Amino acid sequence: MNSIFFDEEYFTFSLGSVLYATEVTNVKEVLHFEKLTKVPKALPYLKGVMNIRSSVVTIIDLRILFGIEGDNDIESLPIIVTEIQRDENTPALTLGILADTVNVVTKLEEVPSEGLSYGTLEHRNDFVKKVGKLNGQFVLILDLPAVLDSIEREISETMDNAI
């Protein structure tokens, strides 16, 4: 049986033992960890902000957001600097994502899926838009605009409850 591959190339990375990916066009660069400035009363997965070439960039830990066990020593982790474009009418947002490891840029084999839950939590199932395969291992392809929308909703709800 011949494998069918997605047309796009993907940037792959791991969180815990799971491989994730995003379109390579979303990734600006990968940085070694630098000092973060903590934001008071931030949600647990919002680790702080960082100065990247005179821009303030929010750094998130998707392991916490997704409920994945991970080492709390984030200072040894790479930061994937992403640029998320939601639509043509809004400017792209730069966001840093902590990863346990960064892997390769590659095409991924398509994996057909009946449902869209992929075994994720009900309120987090919109984070995965496709499933691919790389060297026999499943790769969850993230919908970064959906992740960003969820974070913004949670921040808004937290602020509303604080008032």
Side-chain angles (χ1 to χ4, degrees):
M1 185 164 111
N2 290 339
S3 297
I4 299 171
F5 289 83
F6 293 114
D7 291 334
E8 305 89 357
E9 285 196 324
Y10 291 92
F11 180 89
T12 60
F13 58 96
S14 68
L15 303 172
S17 62
V18 179
L19 269 180
Y20 291 87
T22 185
E23 290 87 354
V24 73
T25 54
N26 289 336
V27 178
K28 290 177 61 171
E29 63 187 312
V30 177
L31 300 174
H32 293 290
F33 187 89
E34 294 180 25
K35 185 169 174 49
L36 295 180
T37 301
K38 299 273 187 194
V39 177
K41 296 188 179 185
L43 294 167
Y45 53 83
L46 298 174
K47 301 314 278 182
V49 294
M50 185 173 150
N51 183 347
I52 300 175
R53 282 181 267 309
S54 300
S55 293
V56 176
V57 177
T58 300
I59 308 299
I60 64 170
D61 190 341
L62 290 179
R63 298 172 309 171
I64 296 171
L65 183 63
F66 294 172
I68 297 170
E69 292 293 320
D71 188 356
N72 287 334
D73 179 22
I74 63 172
E75 294 184 14
S76 62
L77 301 179
I79 296 174
I80 304 165
V81 181
T82 63
E83 195 164 78
I84 303 169
Q85 184 72 49
R86 284 189 258 203
D87 59 54
E88 315 80 50
N89 301 325
T90 55
L93 179 75
T94 302
L95 188 68
I97 297 172
L98 292 169
D100 288 315
T101 62
V102 292
N103 297 323
V104 295
V105 172
T106 187
K107 288 193 179 248
L108 297 174
E109 185 180 339
E110 282 189 52
V111 175
S113 178
E114 298 290 320
L116 293 176
S117 69
Y118 307 117
T120 58
L121 298 171
E122 186 177 322
H123 63 290
R124 302 282 193 223
N125 62 3
D126 58 343
F127 290 174
V128 178
K129 64 180 175 182
K130 298 184 226 179
V131 175
K133 218 175 195 183
L134 177 64
N135 301 326
Q137 185 175 0
F138 287 117
V139 180
L140 302 179
I141 301 170
L142 294 176
D143 184 343
L144 290 181
V147 172
L148 185 59
D149 288 345
S150 175
I151 291 170
E152 288 177 339
R153 272 193 313 274
E154 201 163 347
I155 289 171
S156 179
E157 289 169 9
T158 302
M159 291 175 65
D160 289 347
N161 291 337
I163 296 176

